[in-house]
Amino acid sequence: MKLSIKKINAQLIPNFRISIGVTALLLSSLLVACSDENTGSTTLNSESPNLSLNIPASLTGGLTSQTQLANVTKSLIHVSHSIQVAKAGSGQPCAYTGHDNKDDPFQNGYETSKFMISIMATWTCIADLLIDVSGFVAHNGNIIETENNNNAADFEADEPTHYSVADESNTQVTVRLYYNYSRSQPPVVGEQAQFYISWNELKNGDIEGRMVIDGIAVDRDNHDNDDPAMMRMDFSYTATHQAADLFLQFDENNAWADGFRITMVKDLAVNPLLKVFEARGMINMKAQFVPANNISEIPGVHLYTVSDALGNGASIAEFQNFSLPLELNANFANHLGNYVFSKKDVYYFEHDMDWEYINKTVLSAEYRGARTTPTTGGTWLPFDPSLDLIITGLSLDSDYFTGEKCSLIGDNCSDLLNAVFEFIGGFAGQQENQGADPQDWRTAEINNADYLTTVYPNGFDWTDAFEHSFTPTAAP
């Protein structure tokens, strides 16, 4: 039996590309400037704050190969693909593999979690890099030209043309990067930059800060309407916890998504063999990926992952109120109907990235009409099955598609969709349910997953979300 596997996968798991082109992290311009000022070789400032979360490879997909990191003076960051940026002097990259299948980050709950966490690992590393490099530049607030001249033949639109570093107080530093300004009309002090990061470090080592990026302005040549337009990351590090909260606002022309939020907390005060890392994600949708008649619900995506210090963990990808039109054969006008469903994808993984337990379950499913599949008389070849063949092929009750069994609009069709997903298991890159719940600390955490409830910093909308200001909560 073949229930149009490619079509189902294309509908359920769209090519979800989250990319924000933020580039040129001062590696060439700042380091050239500080070499001129210091008249010596450039090394990273080991005394500056370190924002590295030291996330296990099982959560990020691991580092990309060194062949992808040849250019350390320029970065074009696409968080759903390889990221080409390296820490100067040490060779430590801000480049993580993320999910294995670049066209399908929703392949399973684990792949989706790596997609999410690799984004966070990248941006905390980039913030760390900027803080590191700023230690070699005068903190006088002056706006300095970089080597990237927008009137030159070798101008790179995705690299800054100017930058500044300023001390806001004895403990707070701010770095600003400006893009696409000319030498004759440079930015002026007080003008909003396109890339902003400010952080405050106390004497006890606690650090908090904020990074804000205008995704369109810094990558105008590569920006797509589906891409995020603005990004903000808040971070807070103490001796007992490290936390980062990342907000992505999508381009207003994105037809289906408004925002994506990722949070990550590392607990430094617990048993390292229990929950050390917790990552949560939420995509705020505006419309269905695949619109279908008689389905008006707005879908939702929630992600949740936990891991111990070694990288053994578990993840959930929960898709809520998604539409699923099951057109079996358009040439024969054979349509199994439209459905709205919610699905929970649970995946336990080990530190070596191997699976331990996989359980995908349709939590709810409703029939919403449009079924034209004949009751009998269908064929497998050519693919034009009738309801009786589908019942047999999916091992459904013999009286399925009658009475209240997924027959009338509003009927429960969970058995049908669970059977469909069970059938898809093992095909088209989808893994089937397998293994057994280990019933360890992960089970308790997953069963009590704490999902995000908003993608907005203020909880309601994007008002003032991307202001270039940061006021520390702790006094010096």
Side-chain angles (χ1 to χ4, degrees):
M1 174 184 177
K2 295 183 179 179
L3 260 180
S4 191
I5 297 301
K6 290 184 178 180
K7 176 179 284 292
I8 291 173
N9 280 319
Q11 293 166 341
L12 289 180
I13 311 168
N15 183 6
F16 178 57
R17 185 169 67 91
I18 301 280
S19 62
I20 180 169
V22 179
T23 57
L25 303 177
L26 289 177
L27 283 174
S28 56
S29 22
L30 282 185
L31 292 180
V32 167
C34 69
S35 292
D36 291 342
E37 293 177 7
N38 296 332
T39 64
S41 60
T42 298
T43 57
L44 290 179
N45 184 358
S46 61
E47 296 181 356
S48 65
N50 187 347
L51 299 187
S52 172
L53 290 168
N54 293 318
I55 303 172
S58 63
L59 294 175
T60 64
L63 298 173
T64 56
S65 66
Q66 291 301 312
T67 57
Q68 294 173 289
L69 302 171
N71 187 355
V72 298
T73 63
K74 175 183 175 184
S75 65
L76 176 59
I77 296 179
H78 292 281
V79 297
S80 60
H81 298 83
S82 299
I83 299 168
Q84 300 178 356
V85 95
K87 267 203 163 186
S90 69
Q92 179 184 349
C94 295
Y96 302 91
T97 301
H99 53 102
D100 294 331
N101 186 340
K102 299 307 176 186
D103 293 328
D104 185 359
F106 292 155
Q107 182 179 4
N108 56 51
Y110 180 39
E111 288 300 305
T112 311
S113 73
K114 288 192 291 183
F115 164 72
M116 169 178 70
I117 295 171
S118 64
I119 297 172
M120 181 63 78
T122 295
W123 288 110
T124 53
C125 182
I126 288 171
D128 194 25
L129 171 63
L130 282 169
I131 291 173
D132 238 1
V133 174
S134 70
F136 296 92
V137 181
H139 292 201
N140 54 22
N142 292 341
I143 296 178
I144 309 299
E145 294 176 354
T146 71
E147 293 186 324
N148 190 34
N149 185 343
N150 75 342
N151 289 320
D154 60 351
F155 169 67
E156 297 286 352
D158 56 6
E159 293 189 9
T161 56
H162 298 78
Y163 70 89
S164 73
V165 181
D167 287 333
E168 308 291 348
S169 70
N170 291 334
T171 57
Q172 184 176 352
V173 181
T174 298
V175 173
R176 294 176 174 88
L177 308 183
Y178 302 86
Y179 289 75
N180 202 31
Y181 284 86
S182 66
R183 301 294 173 90
S184 60
Q185 291 184 306
V188 298
V189 174
E191 189 170 351
Q192 182 160 297
Q194 287 71 51
F195 193 128
Y196 166 96
I197 180 171
S198 187
W199 67 94
N200 186 67
E201 184 181 18
L202 303 182
K203 290 182 178 179
N204 63 3
D206 290 357
I207 181 173
E208 58 179 338
R210 177 171 299 163
M211 183 163 64
V212 179
I213 302 165
D214 183 337
I216 297 176
V218 303
D219 195 26
R220 64 184 75 246
D221 290 348
N222 297 294
H223 183 77
D224 186 271
N225 286 344
D226 287 338
D227 294 342
M230 299 293 294
M231 191 198 86
R232 163 177 158 179
M233 184 178 73
D234 297 343
F235 49 90
S236 173
Y237 288 59
T238 71
T240 59
H241 89 281
Q242 299 173 342
D245 201 353
L246 189 148
F247 306 87
L248 290 167
Q249 180 187 22
F250 284 93
D251 189 295
E252 63 182 7
N253 294 314
N254 187 304
W256 50 267
D258 175 47
F260 185 17
R261 181 182 179 188
I262 306 167
T263 69
M264 191 156 193
V265 176
K266 181 180 181 181
D267 192 337
L268 304 176
V270 298
N271 183 335
L273 298 182
L274 298 178
K275 185 181 76 172
V276 174
F277 294 94
E278 179 186 64
R280 299 184 293 165
M282 177 182 178
I283 301 175
N284 194 45
M285 306 284 286
K286 297 191 295 188
Q288 294 284 352
F289 282 121
V290 184
N293 290 336
N294 207 26
I295 295 178
S296 59
E297 287 87 346
I298 301 298
V301 178
H302 287 88
L303 312 172
Y304 185 79
T305 300
V306 292
S307 168
D308 63 19
L310 300 177
N312 302 300
S315 61
I316 298 174
E318 186 166 321
F319 307 95
Q320 300 163 345
N321 294 320
F322 269 63
S323 63
L324 177 61
L326 289 179
E327 185 177 62
L328 304 182
N329 191 319
N331 293 330
F332 292 100
N334 186 341
H335 199 297
L336 193 55
N338 296 328
Y339 306 84
V340 60
F341 76 99
S342 295
K343 178 172 176 279
K344 186 176 184 179
D345 188 335
V346 175
Y347 196 111
Y348 286 55
F349 55 90
E350 298 175 333
H351 68 278
D352 60 359
M353 305 190 206
D354 198 5
W355 67 270
E356 189 172 356
Y357 171 55
I358 302 173
N359 184 35
K360 305 176 182 181
T361 306
V362 173
L363 302 174
S364 64
E366 276 191 17
Y367 175 54
R368 292 296 176 84
R371 182 178 297 151
T372 61
T373 304
T375 303
T376 60
T379 62
W380 291 127
L381 293 175
F383 183 67
D384 185 30
S386 49
L387 296 179
D388 59 339
L389 292 180
I390 292 172
I391 288 171
T392 302
L394 294 180
S395 300
L396 298 169
D397 292 342
S398 60
D399 59 347
Y400 208 76
F401 300 120
T402 64
E404 296 181 352
K405 292 186 176 181
C406 195
S407 174
L408 303 175
I409 292 177
D411 280 355
N412 180 1
C413 294
S414 296
D415 288 346
L416 170 65
L417 292 198
N418 269 313
V420 169
F421 280 104
E422 188 76 20
F423 178 75
I424 292 176
F427 291 86
Q430 303 301 299
Q431 290 176 294
E432 59 185 333
N433 291 345
Q434 52 195 308
D437 188 333
Q439 294 294 323
D440 57 17
W441 66 269
R442 293 171 294 180
T443 302
E445 297 293 344
I446 287 296
N447 289 341
N448 294 281
D450 182 19
Y451 291 148
L452 292 173
T453 59
T454 180
V455 299
Y456 308 114
N458 67 6
F460 305 103
D461 55 32
W462 293 115
T463 302
D464 299 328
F466 305 103
E467 292 294 317
H468 286 198
S469 65
F470 172 68
T471 302
T473 59

